Amino acid sequence: MPFTTHSLALLSLILLAVLTVSGPEAVAGEESAGEYDLSVTFSPESHSLRGTARISLPAGAGIDLDLHGLTVDGLLLREEDGSELTPPQPQQGMLHLAGAKIGRELYISYARVVRDSPDERIDPSGIVLTGLWHPVPQREMRIRLSAGLPPGFTAAVESDRFPLVKDGDRLVAAFSRPLQNLHFVAGPYVEDSLEVRPGLRVYSLFFAEDRQLAPSYLEAAAGYLRRYEREIGPYPYAHYLIVANRLPTGLGLPTFTLLGQQVLRLPFIRETSLGHEVLHSWFGNSVEVDYAKGNWCEGLTTFLADHSFRADQGQAAADRKERIANYLSYVNKETAVPLSAFRSADHRQPQGQAVRAVGYNRGAMFFQELRELIGAEAFNRGLRSFYRENQGKSASWSDLQQSFSLASDRDLGGFFSDRLDRTAIPEIAVSDIAVSQTGAATRLSFQLSQKTEPPFALRLPVEVTTASGIERFVVTSERAATPVSLTINGLPLQLSIDPDYTLMRQLAAAELPPVWSRFLGAQKKLVILESEEKRDLYAPLLDALGDESWTVRTAAEVKSGELSGSSLLFLGLQQPLSRSLFARPDHPA
């Protein structure tokens, strides 16, 4: 339906309220390259929305808009002299509008239907829109929203204020920080809140059946907000929301986190995932990621949240060992990529587990090694400086390198390039161990070897256990072979290299734990059924976990010589192949 003068006047009235709720930062700072006003109305019964976008463009400014998935039924370009023309038609879902000598306003009327989507929803139980639900500019803009909601619904969206401002039967929201797209959630929520400090509150928007969870979530979120304000700097927004989603999500977005309802009910989420998502307010949202140059954010957030929470419980070494083991389970010569190549990790992408192991686990270990290298005090200075200097910007690994180099007063170029640009990780070996006694002194000597070519520049913690206790040293290694000689008090009983797993490295065979991820990450997986008659018994397991990489055969079909070429899963132990390896395990009845 084409726009008319009447429809333009009506649109101006709808958007008038939006123009009056700009946040305090909206008038400060950078010049605008255009204004974006969005008005939407929902029809849950038909799983649809209707929207109108008005984008004002000053002289010289053009725009590119992504319209994929939207049904556009009206396009109008109105120039500042009052003349109206039809813009160029979208091509392959994209609308390109070149700059002009005079200012213009672009109007787009569109609709969208959301049905049978795993990630989004419009129905009477709620609204979740996290993808392309409005025209998306290919640059960041300040977007102001007016939304008509079903009765009884409360909404969350990136906004300077919460609760959202009401204008009759509509909600209006404005966010002073430029974005490319908004994330919109609404439903029959019950609202609770808690003051974090003067000027900052945390809110929960839960469904009525889960309201009893709200107090503990609010307390936990408030604790995380206070923690990261102390460690990093002031929280960058005016409020924080924990919003329930009937769909399975775990998203950290500017001003709110969107967590699946089933996830919220898990008892450990408050102590793990919630803090991770809160931290994304600082890194990922306030300081954005320059994805063209790699994603540093997930590794840093994992280190400062997930790993730190385990460290608080005295489990730092165990957490690091698990991360290394997970990495080694999924990453091999075929799946290895350098940390600098990591962009994102969708569970549904090919080799998703391997990609996540690089971005999250190798990324977390990068920051562990960096802190060990420059010391905790310099690391904390660099972290606060990085946040302060890059708020409101997109940052890269090179920005991190600059901040930590200045904070530690040392050149970190070699460390960053070694850890970011190589797919290999260090492999360490010890040989030629000898003990000598000279007077009252005992000397322990050995050869420290790096099997990785070229060698890394390493600082290796070394522990020597004697009858009188544990003595600790730090050994540097930059060559393929490094002779080491240590003076100790008493005869050595045990020599340990990197016992607390402070280094991303290959694990020795005795260090590798028997974890399920090692089977899942194996290149060749052979599942051996005790017999064909037992196939139905194990069908639920195979249906839930198996994929095309699993080869399932009966014991009668497998020769013993085939066992050495694959990772093995025995389903049923009453078979000769299993007994040839494990005899008869004494399992409870």
Side-chain angles (χ1 to χ4, degrees):
M1 179 178 68
F3 281 105
T4 65
T5 303
H6 171 74
S7 63
L8 285 175
L10 179 61
L11 176 63
S12 297
L13 289 174
I14 292 175
L15 293 171
L16 180 61
V18 177
L19 300 174
T20 65
V21 297
S22 298
E25 301 173 43
V27 295
E30 65 210 59
E31 293 184 12
S32 171
E35 296 181 344
Y36 189 146
D37 298 304
L38 179 65
S39 175
V40 292
T41 302
F42 298 96
S43 177
E45 290 74 17
S46 62
H47 309 280
S48 64
L49 67 86
R50 288 205 59 84
T52 304
R54 180 181 70 177
I55 301 174
S56 62
L57 299 169
I63 196 166
D64 290 307
L65 292 167
D66 191 340
L67 305 175
H68 282 92
L70 307 181
T71 301
V72 176
D73 51 23
L75 282 171
L76 180 67
L77 195 59
R78 187 178 191 180
E79 299 188 332
E80 62 183 21
D81 61 7
S83 58
E84 297 178 357
L85 23 127
T86 301
Q89 292 300 303
Q91 300 294 320
Q92 297 180 333
M94 299 294 297
L95 174 64
H96 172 71
L97 193 62
K101 294 181 179 180
I102 61 174
R104 299 161 296 166
E105 288 185 333
L106 173 66
Y107 294 86
I108 304 172
S109 175
Y110 70 94
R112 185 177 174 215
V113 175
V114 177
R115 186 182 279 113
D116 301 326
S117 168
D119 303 315
E120 297 189 293
R121 168 175 292 188
I122 301 176
D123 65 29
S125 71
I127 299 168
V128 181
L129 296 168
T130 57
L132 291 171
W133 63 279
H134 64 81
V136 174
Q138 299 305 286
R139 65 166 185 263
E140 293 186 336
M141 302 183 73
R142 292 196 178 103
I143 305 175
R144 297 173 292 201
L145 174 69
S146 169
L149 290 181
F153 273 32
T154 302
V157 67
E158 291 93 341
S159 175
D160 288 325
R161 300 179 186 179
F162 189 84
L164 301 181
V165 177
K166 289 186 177 181
D167 181 59
D169 61 349
R170 302 184 71 81
L171 292 175
V172 291
F175 195 43
S176 54
R177 306 206 177 207
L179 299 168
Q180 275 191 269
N181 62 300
L182 294 176
H183 302 83
F184 186 87
V185 188
Y189 291 121
V190 179
E191 177 189 319
D192 291 284
S193 71
L194 178 69
E195 184 178 66
V196 179
R197 57 164 170 76
L200 176 61
R201 295 189 74 84
V202 58
Y203 297 82
S204 62
L205 297 182
F206 288 0
F207 299 109
E209 59 268 29
D210 296 320
R211 188 176 189 179
Q212 76 279 3
L213 301 174
S216 59
Y217 268 94
L218 293 171
E219 289 284 356
Y224 293 129
L225 290 165
R226 296 185 191 109
R227 173 178 182 149
Y228 294 127
E229 283 202 322
R230 290 192 304 268
E231 293 182 3
I232 304 167
Y235 176 68
Y237 309 114
H239 58 266
Y240 189 78
L241 309 178
I242 311 165
V243 185
N245 185 3
R246 298 200 190 277
L247 300 173
T249 51
L251 298 175
L253 304 165
T255 72
F256 70 101
T257 183
L258 184 61
L259 296 176
Q261 184 179 24
Q262 297 302 320
V263 170
L264 282 170
R265 295 171 177 174
L266 297 174
F268 55 85
I269 294 299
R270 285 172 293 242
E271 287 75 45
T272 54
S273 301
L274 178 62
H276 184 106
E277 301 306 339
V278 170
L279 182 54
H280 273 311
S281 301
W282 282 263
F283 299 124
N285 292 327
S286 181
V287 181
E288 298 180 3
V289 179
D290 185 350
Y291 286 100
K293 299 177 182 178
N295 182 350
W296 49 268
C297 179
E298 293 301 348
L300 180 59
T301 305
T302 299
F303 177 67
L304 294 177
D306 309 63
H307 175 64
S308 292
F309 303 155
R310 293 284 300 277
D312 293 344
Q313 300 166 8
Q315 300 173 8
D319 181 75
R320 291 192 290 267
K321 182 177 181 180
E322 290 167 21
R323 294 189 184 281
I324 297 171
N326 178 274
Y327 178 89
L328 295 175
S329 293
Y330 291 110
V331 179
N332 51 56
K333 290 181 180 179
E334 283 69 35
T335 60
V337 295
L339 183 53
S340 60
F342 172 72
R343 299 293 185 269
S344 64
D346 189 317
H347 287 286
R348 293 166 292 188
Q349 74 187 80
Q351 303 294 347
Q353 288 283 15
V355 175
R356 289 181 67 84
V358 172
Y360 288 72
N361 293 333
R362 187 168 187 177
M365 290 300 295
F366 171 93
F367 291 101
Q368 162 67 28
E369 291 185 49
L370 177 61
R371 188 172 64 178
E372 291 287 325
L373 176 65
I374 66 177
E377 187 176 333
F379 183 88
N380 293 336
R381 278 200 309 272
L383 190 68
R384 289 190 289 268
S385 172
F386 173 71
Y387 176 65
R388 185 174 60 250
E389 297 297 323
N390 292 283
Q391 266 191 284
K393 304 176 186 176
S394 293
S396 66
W397 284 106
S398 61
D399 296 309
L400 278 164
Q401 180 181 330
Q402 181 179 12
S403 293
F404 285 109
S405 294
L406 290 173
S408 61
D409 193 25
R410 60 192 300 169
D411 181 4
L412 296 174
F415 174 87
F416 270 72
S417 62
D418 251 5
R419 271 71 179 176
L420 294 182
D421 299 332
R422 297 177 63 178
T423 57
I425 62 175
E427 184 174 359
I428 304 158
V430 173
S431 61
D432 302 332
I433 300 173
V435 178
S436 62
Q437 195 84 26
T438 306
T442 300
R443 296 196 67 79
L444 171 65
S445 61
F446 56 89
Q447 182 97 323
L448 185 67
S449 303
Q450 288 196 48
K451 297 183 177 181
T452 320
E453 184 61 39
F456 288 81
L458 303 177
R459 293 177 77 258
L460 286 165
V462 175
E463 286 187 0
V464 181
T465 303
T466 68
S468 57
I470 297 176
E471 299 183 39
R472 294 177 174 85
F473 306 87
V474 174
V475 174
T476 59
S477 170
E478 298 180 352
R479 302 190 302 272
T482 303
V484 179
S485 181
L486 305 174
T487 301
I488 58 177
N489 297 313
L491 292 174
L493 304 176
Q494 180 173 291
L495 169 64
S496 301
I497 309 294
D498 190 30
D500 291 330
Y501 303 94
T502 61
L503 181 70
M504 187 71 192
R505 60 179 173 84
Q506 296 286 345
L507 299 180
E511 294 177 292
L512 275 170
V515 289
W516 179 238
S517 64
R518 289 182 64 194
F519 179 79
L520 293 180
Q523 292 176 276
K524 292 183 178 180
K525 293 184 275 289
L526 177 58
V527 182
I528 305 175
L529 277 166
E530 185 178 289
S531 65
E532 187 62 41
E533 290 72 24
K534 295 292 183 73
R535 188 177 293 272
D536 288 345
L537 174 65
Y538 293 105
L541 173 74
L542 297 173
D543 290 343
L545 300 177
D547 58 35
E548 65 277 359
S549 68
W550 292 37
T551 300
V552 182
R553 296 163 67 186
T554 64
E557 297 172 323
V558 180
K559 294 181 171 58
S560 59
E562 299 178 68
L563 299 183
S564 63
S566 302
S567 284
L568 306 174
L569 175 60
F570 289 99
L571 299 183
L573 298 179
Q574 301 305 314
Q575 50 176 291
L577 293 172
S578 140
R579 289 197 294 272
S580 70
L581 294 176
F582 306 114
R584 295 183 183 273
D586 185 21
H587 284 178

